[in-house]
Amino acid sequence: MKRSTVLSLFVAVVLVAAFAGCLQPGADGDGLEGNETVTETETETETEAENATEDDEEANTTETESESANESRDDGNATATFLESTGPTENVTVSLEIAANGTERAEGLMYRESLPENHGMVFVYPDEGQRTFWMKNTLIPLDIIYIDSEGTVLNVAEAEPQPNASDDDLERYPSDGPAQYVIELERGFAEEHGVEPGTEVVFHDELELEDAS
């Protein structure tokens, strides 16, 4: 009876020891260490996902800002209508950025690589006078439309880009008489819409001069 009891106790001790060993972390990666590794991996994945989301949001914000800037430019600052007088053409309205002081007039449409359809710039002067334009640092061909104080087209100059020419080599495009307004649009506009000397232009917005005119 005693020997059986001792044997039973020995077996119980062995079983307890073996059971306790199963609960301890092993060298094969099972147990707590394995769970910690998985947790770290999950955290890294979540961080990468968050960074990717932030990058996407930043890219979307940049695209939205770029689109807003383009839309703001495309809207222009004023509108004008060229009135059809004779022929098959119809009245056409354009949107115009306003260059109403010396700095804006000097910069004009320099460095622009393209223009939206029926969009350009109007140069505003304090009074009528002989005007001469050139294409310094201008990258796209333009129609330069000279207009007197009454809104009548004096002449249209078809101008070619000369982005790398020196001032001495730049071609000059003069007005045929005193002009107070000059409209620049992408070349071909005037021919397409029948704009020529005598065409009337109606400005739908006040073209007021700014400081430093």
Side-chain angles (χ1 to χ4, degrees):
M1 188 68 177
K2 290 182 179 181
R3 181 177 298 175
S4 176
T5 301
V6 171
L7 182 59
S8 298
L9 290 173
F10 177 78
V11 172
V13 170
V14 171
L15 291 175
V16 169
F19 184 75
C22 291
L23 294 179
Q24 293 178 354
D28 57 359
D30 295 335
L32 185 59
E33 286 183 340
N35 290 336
E36 289 177 347
T37 302
V38 171
T39 301
E40 291 172 358
T41 302
E42 290 174 348
T43 302
E44 291 173 358
T45 302
E46 292 173 356
T47 301
E48 291 173 357
E50 292 173 355
N51 290 339
T53 300
E54 292 174 356
D55 290 343
D56 290 342
E57 291 175 350
E58 182 177 354
N60 290 336
T61 299
T62 301
E63 291 175 358
T64 300
E65 291 174 349
S66 177
E67 291 172 357
S68 297
N70 289 334
E71 290 173 358
S72 176
R73 172 176 287 184
D74 290 351
D75 286 341
N77 305 107
T79 56
T81 298
F82 292 87
L83 302 179
E84 182 274 333
S85 55
T86 60
T89 58
E90 298 179 354
N91 296 352
V92 58
T93 299
V94 297
S95 62
L96 301 169
E97 300 171 40
I98 301 174
N101 61 46
T103 300
E104 294 171 347
R105 290 195 296 267
E107 181 177 355
L109 293 174
M110 287 183 178
Y111 307 109
R112 303 287 182 91
E113 295 182 352
S114 63
L115 285 173
E117 184 177 4
N118 295 343
H119 178 89
M121 179 172 285
V122 58
F123 298 76
V124 184
Y125 293 90
D127 50 29
E128 288 185 326
Q130 182 65 36
R131 310 297 175 196
T132 299
F133 276 45
W134 60 14
M135 295 288 280
K136 184 175 182 178
N137 298 324
T138 305
L139 307 179
I140 53 179
L142 297 172
D143 282 342
I144 304 175
I145 305 171
Y146 295 98
I147 304 166
D148 67 16
S149 59
E150 300 298 321
T152 302
V153 173
L154 299 171
N155 63 297
V156 179
E158 296 181 341
E160 287 291 335
Q162 292 182 280
N164 300 316
S166 66
D167 289 359
D168 292 337
D169 293 332
L170 287 167
E171 184 173 355
R172 269 66 170 175
Y173 300 93
S175 62
D176 289 348
Q180 187 166 2
Y181 310 101
V182 182
I183 292 179
E184 289 185 341
L185 293 158
E186 191 167 10
R187 184 168 171 174
F189 172 89
E191 182 178 1
E192 179 181 355
H193 298 286
V195 177
E196 58 188 11
T199 297
E200 297 298 323
V201 183
V202 176
F203 293 102
H204 303 290
D205 308 86
E206 291 292 332
L207 302 180
E208 298 179 356
L209 289 170
E210 299 177 1
D211 293 338
S213 61

